[in-house]
Amino acid sequence: MLAETGRAMQDTDELSSTRRRSMAPLGYMLGGLSVVAFIALMHHPVGHGTEPGALLASVRSQATTDQIVHATLAMIYGLLSTAMVLFAARLGVHRFTVVLGLLAFSCAFVLTVLAAMTDGFVVPAIAARCAPNSSPSCVSDAFTLLRLSALQIEFLTRFSFVGIAVAVMAWSAALLTTQGVPRWAGLGGAASSVAQLAFLFAASSRLTVA
């Protein structure tokens, strides 16, 4: 009896160690991609000018940088999604909370890439339609489209954050019931999810484009 109990405890320890080792590379990958994403965001172009014509000229002058930055971000999001699929597979895709998290993160990925493509390619294309010294009506129409694009980018990004928060919460619940995973991992994920949702709701009025 004691021998069987000892073997069971040893098997449990080996399972825990194997699970931690299998998730470690994903953690390193996520950390590295987060650093690259942060570097790309540091180079995010910002339009300057209070007048519509000046703002359009600023967007046109930064079109190439805009496209490079947002294309890079889209690729990083794709790699992050790949890592998340592998993470879900490690947790077990037969579990409801894992599938819920994967579905929520996939929706967030689509929304985020749509926002990046709009910001990096649609916005510069709209500005390019109105060449320097264009008629006031062209400038006015382009500026209106830019404001519409800004609203789309804002809400696509906002709902992508909600999707990520839901995914983190679902996966945190899965981690709390996964053998061999420290409880602080699930509790920390749940806390970060609640904090993210609280920030979004608290700052909703400040995030709205005027």
Side-chain angles (χ1 to χ4, degrees), residues 14 20 76 78 87 98 132 168:
E14 291 177 354
R20 285 195 293 269
I76 292 172
F87 175 73
V98 176
V168 172

Side-chain angles (χ1 to χ4, degrees), residues 31-78:
L33 290 173
S34 298
V35 171
V36 175
F38 178 77
I39 294 173
L41 286 172
M42 291 295 292
H43 293 82
H44 189 288
V46 177
H48 302 284
T50 56
E51 296 296 325
L55 180 60
L56 290 172
S58 177
V59 173
R60 285 195 299 269
S61 67
Q62 303 177 89
T64 301
T65 303
D66 222 356
Q67 292 167 355
I68 293 173
V69 167
H70 288 92
T72 301
L73 288 173
M75 289 188 290
I76 292 172
Y77 297 147

Side-chain angles (χ1 to χ4, degrees), residues 20-34 83-84 87:
R20 285 195 293 269
R21 287 197 301 270
S22 66
M23 289 186 178
L26 293 177
Y28 298 142
M29 181 179 180
L30 291 173
L33 290 173
S34 298
M84 290 297 95
F87 175 73

Side-chain angles (χ1 to χ4, degrees), residues 77-88:
Y77 297 147
L79 292 173
L80 281 172
S81 296
T82 302
M84 290 297 95
V85 171
L86 294 175
F87 175 73

Side-chain angles (χ1 to χ4, degrees), residues 134-178:
S134 296
S135 64
S137 62
C138 179
V139 173
S140 177
D141 292 344
F143 186 68
T144 300
L145 288 174
L146 287 185
R147 288 179 61 83
L148 176 60
S149 297
L151 282 171
Q152 292 175 329
I153 293 166
E154 174 200 343
F155 283 98
L156 286 170
T157 304
R158 186 183 298 184
F159 283 111
S160 74
F161 287 158
V162 173
I164 291 173
V166 171
V168 172
M169 179 63 74
W171 284 332
S172 297
L175 286 172
L176 288 172
T177 57
T178 299

